[in-house]
Amino acid sequence: MTNRKREMRVSELIRKHVITNKGNDLGVVMEVELAWKDKCIRALLVEPSKEYLKKRSGRRGFVEVPWSSVLAVGKYILADEEKIRFRQERGG
């Protein structure tokens, strides 16, 4: 076994399920925001699960998960619930 971190493609994050450190089913990653200047991931935009929306009064939009709040990536993404926030849908 090596100490080298596993490399991952951004496309591998899309459609992954996000669970919070408080055990809540947050939803599914729909988009990844990149910070081009810093050459890093800025945030994951998650389509909230029905259960999570119900807890949040049915607000519409995405849940923004800052990359700094991601605690682990594996079969699921584990995120710190204290750092996430709702982002209103943009008109189209």
Side-chain angles (χ1 to χ4, degrees), residues 16-24 26 44 65-81 84:
K16 269 201 190 281
H17 225 87
V18 181
I19 307 295
T20 71
N21 58 334
K22 294 183 178 181
N24 291 311
L26 189 59
L44 304 175
V65 178
W67 188 248
S68 61
S69 73
V70 173
L71 303 171
V73 178
K75 183 176 179 181
Y76 301 98
I77 296 172
L78 179 65
D80 182 349
E81 191 165 339
I84 63 175

Side-chain angles (χ1 to χ4, degrees):
M1 184 175 235
T2 67
N3 288 334
R4 198 179 102 165
K5 287 185 177 181
R6 180 185 180 284
E7 292 180 2
M8 176 177 263
R9 295 178 186 265
V10 169
S11 61
E12 292 179 74
L13 297 171
I14 302 295
R15 307 296 304 163
K16 269 201 190 281
H17 225 87
V18 181
I19 307 295
T20 71
N21 58 334
K22 294 183 178 181
N24 291 311
D25 173 7
L26 189 59
V28 176
V29 176
M30 300 305 288
E31 294 186 45
V32 177
E33 282 191 346
L34 304 174
W36 288 106
K37 182 179 176 185
D38 299 325
K39 298 177 182 154
C40 65
I41 295 173
R42 192 187 85 65
L44 304 175
L45 296 181
V46 175
E47 182 177 318
S49 67
K50 290 178 183 176
E51 296 82 23
Y52 197 78
L53 279 177
K54 202 179 291 184
K55 291 179 184 180
R56 302 294 181 234
S57 303
R59 294 169 70 181
R60 292 194 176 245
F62 285 107
V63 178
E64 182 177 318
V65 178
W67 188 248
S68 61
S69 73
V70 173
L71 303 171
V73 178
K75 183 176 179 181
Y76 301 98
I77 296 172
L78 179 65
D80 182 349
E81 191 165 339
E82 297 296 320
K83 296 180 181 178
I84 63 175
R85 63 180 183 257
F86 262 87
R87 179 189 285 188
Q88 295 298 325
E89 289 183 36
R90 293 183 182 148

